[in-house]
Amino acid sequence: MATVFMKWLETSPTAYDRGIQLLTLGRIQRIKERIANAYVHAGMRVLEIGCGTGTLTAMMAARGAEVTGIDASPSMLAEAERKVAQEGLEDHVTLKYMDAVLIGERFPPASFDLIVSTLVFSELSPYEQRYILEACKTLLAPNGRLLIADEVIPTGALRRLFYYVVRLPLALLTWLLTRTSATALRDFESLLEQTGFQARAVASHLGGSLVLYDILPAEIARAEANLPPTVIGRLQHRVTFRTLLLDLWLLFFRIIPPYPKVRTGLYMIGNPTPESPVLVTGNFDLTVRRVVKAIDGKVNVWLLVADSAGINVWCAAGGGYFSAEKVIAAVKSSRLEEVVRHHALILPQLCANGVDGWRIRKEIHWGVHWGPAKARDIPAYLDANRKKTDAMRWVRFPLKDRLEMVTVTLGFYGLLILLPVFIFWRPMFWPITFSIVGLSYFYAIVHPWLPGRDGLYKSIPLSLIALAGLLVYTTVWNPLPAVDLFHWMVILTGLSVFTGAELQGMSPLMRGEQANWGWEAVIGLALVALYWLVPLALGWR
């Protein structure tokens, strides 16, 4: 993150190495040593873009490589020339005063086995980055690779916050000293993909803000990974700091957009063959990861991720976001027929409410099979040659799932109610908070035993239970004046109706909560009128 100071250090080449070592806590030297030791060998033709003072240039030349170093700073090149001469490496090094955007014109195609860049791309505009990457693809020899080490914006909310807290004052100071600044790379892997490369981060330092990318032309990367040309990649179940943070966020705020998405397209799980089954799912990140967790290491399949607007397949299908058209588009755009020798798709049972399987069969001649309700049953379903048992068909809603879904919905609906209460009715914030949390989790526990198949009907016994609890509390522990008792009766009735009607959308056994919005509005207005008018009519103070 402190590499923003490079602009100031570049004004003093003799102090540059010492300064950049200090600012990166020695991490940039580790990256340079890794590049020289792990990727460079005798006779290799290397182009270093932005060679600076020649530290890495000399290290690679000492390994026997023929190194061409370019830089747009005459003073930095002079320091590099002095360093190369001091090491006696003149016969292996060619230094050129050149802007990086000229490499495509000054060097013939396929003239380098390795192209290296450290702390350069963050100083370039996005247009220059794209132009230079396209030139690099031309300049690389067959089986050549590109190594880029640079400052990136780290992933993860806490890391990113710390990064900005440290970087912003440094950036301001650098601008005041030099009137210039570097810009950390954002979505760099996407840019590499757009220019025909495939990258993997092989080293990460300074809280994820200094990264070394090992980059190959996409066709070579696919060949090394044994991936068909139309397959995006191989998915595996992994628990990382990012997935833990994402799961924590989704536990409370899953229904608040924007929804975390997975890139649509075709993926491998395990080592599938052209005869292996094709599973279809939506592109909600949590859905994909849970499917992979359930089947990774147990089956070899293709996973076709279709566009569901980042929503789980059940809700997306019911809302029209996951449809036969989306599945057809995924099959066509992924060129699935070039990868497998059969024409059979396995779709989640829970998307049958919005995906017309017969339309898929009619329009693209792919058979549609409805898989089990739960991803954990997929291995057994495939072992049984796509035969479902009754247990695989039934949609259950056990206590664990009910508690999870109440937590998810509380994240949004709690804010919807509690934020206005905090702003306009602050003395009631904590009592209402405890009430809505208690009602919601109580509703999750007793949900199967409350009569009715609709949330509004279930809210009637829920209200009666809440009012009974209120009467016991005020009778035994804390007697209230008549007006306060009446107000709390109205509040608890309103919260019970809201809880029952809105949280019904969490259940796969009930229709969506939108069906009750009209009645909720009517009941809500009636309760507000009662809250204000009854005490006035009775003369309560």
Side-chain angles (χ1 to χ4, degrees):
M1 62 186 71
T3 52
V4 66
F5 253 149
M6 281 175 50
K7 289 289 186 179
W8 177 65
L9 290 173
E10 287 171 0
T11 63
S12 179
T14 56
Y16 177 85
D17 287 342
R18 185 167 59 252
I20 204 66
Q21 277 290 97
L22 178 64
L23 291 172
T24 62
L25 303 179
R27 301 307 192 272
I28 193 62
Q29 183 66 19
R30 292 188 189 178
I31 286 178
K32 290 180 177 179
E33 290 173 354
R34 179 167 185 164
I35 291 173
N37 295 330
Y39 293 95
V40 179
H41 57 76
M44 176 178 280
R45 299 167 298 167
V46 181
L47 171 64
E48 184 179 6
I49 299 174
C51 63
T53 61
T55 300
L56 179 56
T57 311
M59 293 168 63
M60 294 188 294
R63 297 276 298 175
E66 301 297 323
V67 184
T68 300
I70 68 167
D71 205 284
S73 169
S75 57
M76 298 285 274
L77 277 175
E79 179 64 17
E81 188 174 350
R82 184 193 65 79
K83 191 175 295 183
V84 168
Q86 185 178 3
E87 298 289 333
L89 299 169
E90 300 98 320
D91 293 341
H92 295 281
V93 175
T94 301
L95 298 174
K96 293 179 179 290
Y97 173 59
M98 183 191 307
D99 193 283
V101 296
L102 298 175
I103 59 175
E105 302 174 13
R106 301 290 178 86
F107 300 107
S111 54
F112 297 103
D113 305 302
L114 178 67
I115 299 177
V116 179
S117 170
T118 59
L119 306 179
V120 172
F121 274 74
S122 56
E123 300 187 41
L124 304 172
S125 71
Y127 301 103
E128 291 173 321
Q129 293 173 9
R130 179 182 293 274
Y131 186 83
I132 293 169
L133 287 172
E134 290 172 348
C136 287
K137 194 154 190 273
T138 302
L139 295 178
L140 283 174
N143 299 318
R145 71 194 324 125
L146 174 63
L147 299 174
I148 295 178
D150 221 313
E151 181 186 14
V152 302
I153 297 176
T155 58
L158 293 178
R159 285 185 172 189
R160 192 177 294 118
L161 176 62
F162 178 75
Y163 166 81
Y164 281 122
V165 167
V166 174
R167 191 184 196 278
L168 288 178
L170 293 176
L172 177 61
L173 180 58
T174 300
W175 187 85
L176 292 173
L177 292 171
T178 66
R179 293 298 189 270
T180 58
S181 184
T183 302
L185 300 177
R186 182 189 296 271
D187 295 328
F188 189 57
E189 292 185 32
S190 297
L191 176 59
L192 289 167
E193 183 178 314
Q194 293 167 20
T195 50
F197 288 104
Q198 189 166 315
R200 62 187 181 99
V202 294
S204 178
H205 302 287
L206 303 179
S209 65
L210 181 62
V211 176
L212 171 62
Y213 291 104
D214 182 357
I215 306 162
L216 290 170
E219 58 274 13
I220 297 176
R222 289 180 177 279
E224 288 191 358
N226 196 28
L227 292 177
T230 58
V231 177
I232 295 175
R234 195 184 307 274
L235 295 177
Q236 293 179 293
H237 172 57
R238 291 175 180 170
V239 178
T240 66
F241 183 69
R242 174 189 173 276
T243 62
L244 290 174
L245 287 178
L246 189 57
D247 286 343
L248 184 62
W249 169 265
L250 293 174
L251 180 61
F252 294 100
F253 303 111
R254 186 180 308 174
I255 61 177
I256 300 178
Y259 311 113
K261 302 177 183 178
V262 172
R263 179 186 170 190
T264 58
L266 187 61
Y267 295 85
M268 304 170 70
I269 298 179
N271 296 290
T273 67
E275 287 75 28
S276 296
V278 177
L279 306 178
V280 181
T281 192
N283 68 332
F284 180 39
D285 180 271
L286 184 61
T287 296
V288 174
R289 286 192 289 111
R290 286 187 172 179
V291 169
V292 173
K293 179 182 179 181
I295 64 178
D296 187 26
K298 300 175 183 177
V299 293
N300 298 308
V301 297
W302 304 98
L303 183 66
L304 182 63
V305 178
D307 181 14
S308 63
I311 305 172
N312 69 78
V313 292
W314 174 51
C315 294
Y321 298 102
F322 190 59
S323 61
E325 290 80 5
K326 296 296 182 69
V327 175
I328 291 170
V331 171
K332 290 290 188 180
S333 61
S334 66
R335 294 188 286 177
L336 183 58
E337 69 280 356
E338 299 179 12
V339 178
V340 298
R341 296 197 185 106
H342 59 82
H343 282 72
L345 303 174
I346 301 173
L347 275 71
Q349 177 179 302
L350 289 181
C351 75
N353 59 330
V355 178
D356 187 345
W358 286 109
R359 182 168 183 178
I360 296 173
R361 294 183 181 100
K362 180 180 177 181
E363 293 200 7
I364 59 174
H365 308 294
W366 280 73
V368 172
H369 303 268
W370 302 106
K374 293 290 186 179
R376 64 171 177 263
D377 292 325
I378 291 175
Y381 167 76
L382 295 177
D383 286 343
N385 195 25
R386 300 198 301 255
K387 301 294 183 182
K388 285 194 291 186
T389 63
D390 288 340
M392 294 178 185
R393 300 175 190 276
W394 281 102
V395 177
R396 308 287 181 183
F397 195 39
L399 178 61
K400 174 180 176 294
D401 291 351
R402 299 199 300 271
L403 293 175
E404 177 187 354
M405 293 311 301
V406 162
T407 304
V408 168
T409 49
L410 268 179
F412 173 68
Y413 292 127
L415 288 176
L416 192 67
I417 294 175
L418 296 177
L419 189 58
V421 169
F422 182 80
I423 296 173
F424 300 109
W425 208 14
R426 193 166 299 180
M428 297 298 294
F429 176 77
W430 287 113
I432 290 180
T433 297
F434 292 136
S435 297
I436 192 171
V437 170
L439 276 170
S440 298
Y441 282 104
F442 179 76
Y443 180 64
I445 294 171
V446 303
H447 179 275
W449 297 281
L450 293 177
R453 292 294 301 272
D454 187 274
L456 279 177
Y457 292 117
K458 288 181 179 291
S459 71
I460 297 173
L462 183 64
S463 299
L464 295 176
I465 293 171
L467 294 178
L470 174 66
L471 292 176
V472 171
Y473 173 75
T474 56
T475 301
V476 177
W477 287 286
N478 185 25
L480 293 175
V483 63
D484 292 340
L485 178 61
F486 176 77
H487 281 159
W488 265 110
M489 291 175 67
V490 173
I491 290 171
L492 286 179
T493 301
L495 290 178
S496 297
V497 171
F498 181 85
T499 299
E502 284 299 313
L503 298 190
Q504 80 172 36
M506 72 182 182
S507 170
L509 307 178
M510 302 168 69
R511 59 181 180 164
E513 67 277 5
Q514 298 92 334
N516 293 323
W517 284 350
W519 280 110
E520 282 184 73
V522 172
I523 295 171
L525 290 173
L527 290 174
V528 169
L530 287 173
Y531 185 91
W532 292 108
L533 296 178
V534 169
L536 288 175
L538 297 178
W540 287 340
R541 299 292 181 185

